[in-house]
Amino acid sequence: MTCLAACGGGESPPAAPAVPVVLSADSIPLRALAQQAGIRIGSAGDRGFRWTGTDGSNFRAILSREFSVLTPENDMKFDHVHPAPTTYYFAGADSLVTFAQQNQMSVRGHTLVWHQQLPSWVNSAASAQSALVDHITTVVGHFKGKLLAWDVVNEAFNDDGTRRSTYWSDHIGPSYIELAFRTARAADPDVPLFYNDYNIEGLGSKSDSVYAMVKDFLARGVPINGVGLQSHFVVNGVPSTLGANIARFVALGIKVHITELDVRVPTPSTSVSLAAQAQNYHDVVAACIQVKGCELVTMWGFTDKDSWVPGTFPGFGEALPWDAFFQQKPAFHSVYDALAGR
Ligand code: XIL
């Protein structure tokens, strides 16, 4: 355990402090190390902004000290920003953008077109195509000039590489993906536009399909600037072909972002599983640094106090580099080392 500012000489740090202390004054912020390594380091987060008291201040202090990119975990999703056909709500996302600007952080927009977290009204929309175009035009327009990138379409493929059947594909047809990209580009001529998915981190049929789509889009002039590899891994599950896969996407002339990194372990964790997790975090960060064109590693949150993992993968958790008391875990130190070139 790192001795934090509150540790006095010779005193042992408490195991689970009642008042979590946060910032290790002895370390260089991850974001500074990342900059030296030629990438950025980010975290998702939005519920933490609403925490009061020590938890909230710890959350905001670590986020702004260590990370240079913020992805709203939920606050930019369709159901949040577009709850009724002609109603848009941007206050939640705007407050995150303001926080980021105040702390010299960039914001990754997430996500415009997905099959989840859709408001029920879209099911009775007179035209799915109009709903999609209106949504993208309004939301991208609202954040124009303020974002590092947009995840335009999220999770459009099945694991076998076929197209996923969704509200959008069923009502518009497979061309909804390129319609989304063209509409986003029309609303903001400059923001980088990404396709984002999981289980496309290594070589395989699903990432082959995404690769083919990107190649086709580039050949036909459909605007796309990058691919997001979500990277929700189970411990020891980082594909050995991650680096090769990043390299082949970059060779197409687009960027790669690691967009949602977490490494879940069976709970409760052990020192062995946390050491393996740390190695996995190191490998992912090092793989991104290795390939010019891999611009960013974003974790899906940073503290085990607040992660989607336990609710989604029963029996698994503790997937992030800080524990539930905001203490740095072995994975923090391995990310630090990878960014420092060790
Ligand atoms: C998750 C959030 O973390 C949860 O809070 C929410 O309840 C559901 O969505 N892939 C994505 C993310 O692209 O948007 C998902 O985020 C996790 C999987």
Side-chain angles (χ1 to χ4, degrees), residues 41-70:
I41 188 92
S43 172
D46 44 37
R47 284 189 296 262
F49 281 93
R50 299 188 261 281
W51 293 341
T52 54
T54 310
D55 285 344
S57 56
N58 282 345
F59 177 87
R60 291 184 290 275
I62 295 181
L63 183 70
S64 57
R65 179 181 195 265
E66 304 289 355
F67 298 98
S68 56
V69 178
L70 171 62

Side-chain angles (χ1 to χ4, degrees), residues 47 73-74 77 110 117 154-155 230 260 300 308:
R47 284 189 296 262
E73 189 171 343
N74 292 289
K77 288 174 180 172
H110 175 82
Q117 291 180 270
N154 200 34
E155 303 181 351
Q230 289 188 7
E260 306 184 15
W300 207 236
W308 76 306

Side-chain angles (χ1 to χ4, degrees), residues 78 82 88 90 112-113 129-144 150 152 179-188:
F78 205 123
H82 196 175
Y88 284 90
F90 290 119
L112 294 166
V113 181
Q129 179 155 333
S130 302
L132 180 134
V133 169
D134 176 59
H135 177 76
I136 294 174
T137 303
T138 305
V139 177
V140 174
H142 179 83
F143 294 105
K144 185 177 175 182
W150 261 116
V152 178
L179 175 65
F181 278 88
R182 290 188 198 279
T183 305
R185 178 53 71 236
D188 183 339

Side-chain angles (χ1 to χ4, degrees), residues 73 88 107 134 152 163 167 250 263 265 283-284 308 329:
E73 189 171 343
Y88 284 90
V107 177
D134 176 59
V152 178
R163 292 287 180 97
Y167 169 81
V250 165
V263 180
V265 300
D283 291 349
V284 174
W308 76 306
K329 294 163 59 182

Side-chain angles (χ1 to χ4, degrees), residues 38-39 194 225-227 246 249-250 254-257 288-296:
I39 66 167
F194 276 64
N225 305 100
V227 167
I246 294 173
F249 278 113
V250 165
I254 61 162
K255 305 300 184 191
V256 169
H257 289 177
C288 183
I289 292 171
Q290 187 101 37
V291 185
K292 195 172 155 45
C294 184
E295 299 181 316
L296 154 71

